Amino acid sequence: MEEPVPEDKNKFSAGGTTFIVDSRYEFIKKIGHGAYGVVVAANDHQTGTKVAIKKIPNAFEDLVDAKRIVREIKLLSFFDHENTISLLDVMLPPHRTGYNDIYIVTDLMETDLHRVIYSKQALSNEHIQYFMYQILRGVLYMHSANVIHRDLKPSNLLLNKQCDLKICDLGLARGYDVNTENLTEYVVTRWYRAPEVVLNSSQYTEQIDVWSIGCVFSELLGRNPLFPGEDYLDLVQKIIAVLGSPSPEDMEFIENPAARRFINKLAKKEKTKWSTVYPKGHPVALDLLDKMLVFNPIKRWTVKQCLEHPYFNGLHNPDEEPLASAPFDWSFDNFEPTKEILQNMVYEEALKFHPA
């Protein structure tokens, strides 16, 4: 026999998954299926708004994944910015420990940039400019909070009908002065990886996000990924085919001798003109792209510099590009995860939304 559903809960099924949510939420439809679970749209009768509810079933089976989920919850509850997804609720688990599922409630967005890029919808220069501006504005805020996103790609950039953009999926985010020996568990989609990540440099900074944003920019301009590498070596070759062979100075950040040898053995390439790659691209847009997709991270522009580029004339206003009021405190992240510790942490986060 099934357990009875408590009076203060609603039960429904979506995408083969059973949801048991607080009664304030009424199911509308399934909207997505991610690596970690099913996402539905729901009416929140308490606020009169529509929200997204993600159920992560058996969330603690894999402790590395569970730690990522905790990290994402903590980051989202810390962030307060128009261009990052808002955490609206973490449903209170039945007990402090011993439970399996996590329910997270966020803003409801209609679509994501990946779907827009591969749709039939025409994208004007104004559309692309506005998307890029919002991405950079959101990432400026993250970087000011000592957070590197590390997994920026079109499917992690959510949109609504008004073209408002919000960055999501922060489970891989890191600080850039946290002890970095565990940064190797970097599983971001390969096509958006900066050269210093691909070439396994231990010295990487927030500039890796600028590279990823440049890759998103190029995809908006060409409606195709610029560097669809099939593996690491193929990716490096595709990057060099467009950017040209790096100079010895621009390879100084590569500590791995095998990686240097591999690049030195490749046929020498001249840099391709961006106007050849994107003949319809606006010259000012291509000039900005050129500042973002720079092989050497030290010469790559920062997010702040990108926002000050003439491409954003009319949009850029430093007074409306808020920074974080304080850096995010990464000290919580330094622990060996166990099921009980992680369950307790999620419970503590949920209590913030459900004060007794």
Side-chain angles (χ1 to χ4, degrees):
M1 262 180 64
E2 280 190 25
E3 285 184 43
V5 180
E7 275 182 17
D8 60 348
K9 300 284 183 188
N10 264 341
K11 181 177 176 180
F12 57 86
S13 185
T17 299
T18 302
F19 280 65
I20 298 176
V21 300
D22 296 346
S23 57
R24 66 188 270 193
Y25 299 113
E26 181 195 348
F27 173 66
I28 302 173
K29 62 177 182 183
K30 177 188 160 185
I31 53 172
H33 199 123
Y36 291 143
V38 175
V39 185
V40 299
N43 280 314
D44 178 355
H45 291 302
Q46 203 164 302
T47 59
T49 55
K50 291 185 169 73
V51 296
I53 304 176
K54 174 157 71 172
K55 176 183 181 179
I56 305 156
N58 302 318
F60 305 96
E61 263 180 2
D62 181 317
L63 296 181
V64 173
D65 282 351
K67 190 173 174 182
R68 278 191 194 133
I69 293 157
V70 169
R71 193 183 294 141
E72 175 154 48
I73 291 172
K74 283 185 171 283
L75 279 164
L76 290 182
S77 58
F78 173 82
F79 284 168
D80 178 18
H81 193 277
E82 290 168 341
N83 300 121
T84 61
I85 197 85
S86 299
L87 183 65
L88 305 174
D89 189 8
V90 178
M91 278 179 228
L92 193 65
H95 317 282
R96 265 191 179 275
T97 58
Y99 62 94
N100 296 314
D101 306 330
I102 302 174
Y103 292 93
I104 296 171
V105 184
T106 59
D107 303 313
L108 179 65
M109 304 295 279
E110 265 110 355
T111 187
D112 63 55
L113 203 52
H114 177 83
R115 290 187 201 163
V116 169
I117 290 171
Y118 297 97
S119 71
K120 296 276 191 286
Q121 189 191 331
L123 287 178
S124 67
N125 189 47
E126 287 71 26
H127 276 117
I128 297 174
Q129 183 194 35
Y130 189 47
F131 293 151
M132 287 302 300
Y133 176 69
Q134 292 181 88
I135 298 167
L136 287 162
R137 187 174 178 264
V139 176
L140 178 79
Y141 171 83
M142 284 184 192
H143 287 177
S144 74
N146 185 21
V147 175
I148 314 178
H149 187 289
R150 305 197 326 140
D151 194 15
L152 290 163
K153 56 186 175 185
S155 58
N156 284 347
L157 302 166
L158 306 181
L159 294 163
N160 64 16
K161 287 193 175 73
Q162 288 75 44
C163 291
D164 298 324
L165 181 146
K166 291 183 189 283
I167 301 164
C168 70
D169 276 0
L170 284 144
L172 289 175
R174 280 290 192 286
Y176 37 99
D177 49 10
V178 181
N179 65 19
T180 50
E181 82 284 346
N182 57 355
L183 288 184
T184 45
E185 50 133 328
Y186 193 87
V187 293
V188 55
T189 310
R190 186 183 299 116
W191 299 348
Y192 306 92
R193 287 184 199 189
E196 60 269 35
V197 178
V198 182
L199 298 165
N200 229 336
S201 165
S202 58
Q203 303 303 312
Y204 65 73
T205 62
E206 67 271 32
Q207 296 312 90
I208 66 171
D209 284 345
V210 176
W211 177 275
S212 302
I213 300 167
C215 291
V216 171
F217 193 11
S218 66
E219 207 164 326
L220 281 163
L221 293 167
R223 311 292 283 253
N224 265 312
L226 180 59
F227 303 126
E230 291 178 20
D231 54 48
Y232 281 133
L233 303 180
D234 185 45
L235 181 61
V236 173
Q237 286 171 287
K238 283 191 160 65
I239 291 170
I240 289 174
V242 176
L243 299 189
S245 302
S247 68
E249 180 199 352
D250 288 338
M251 284 171 59
E252 278 174 10
F253 70 88
I254 305 169
E255 295 135 3
N256 179 335
R260 282 186 182 216
R261 278 198 302 276
F262 170 73
I263 292 176
N264 285 327
K265 278 186 187 158
L266 294 173
K268 289 285 170 270
K269 297 275 189 196
E270 290 296 313
K271 183 178 163 95
T272 310
K273 284 196 168 75
W274 287 113
S275 55
T276 308
V277 187
Y278 301 117
K280 293 181 182 164
H282 196 284
V284 185
L286 298 182
D287 184 73
L288 173 60
L289 185 64
D290 191 54
K291 306 293 193 283
M292 302 175 88
L293 293 179
V294 175
F295 190 87
N296 182 346
I298 296 160
K299 295 182 178 175
R300 197 178 303 146
W301 272 23
T302 62
V303 170
K304 184 173 181 293
Q305 285 175 300
C306 292
L307 283 165
E308 290 163 356
H309 189 276
Y311 183 60
F312 298 115
N313 284 356
L315 280 176
H316 169 57
N317 175 355
D319 297 338
E320 296 194 357
E321 290 154 14
L323 304 179
S325 51
F328 180 72
D329 181 1
W330 284 99
S331 58
F332 84 91
D333 209 51
N334 199 3
F335 67 96
E336 206 44 56
T338 67
K339 227 176 199 174
E340 286 68 33
I341 291 174
L342 291 163
Q343 287 169 333
N344 216 357
M345 285 175 106
V346 172
Y347 193 86
E348 284 293 326
E349 291 300 317
L351 280 177
K352 295 177 186 172
F353 294 94
H354 302 268

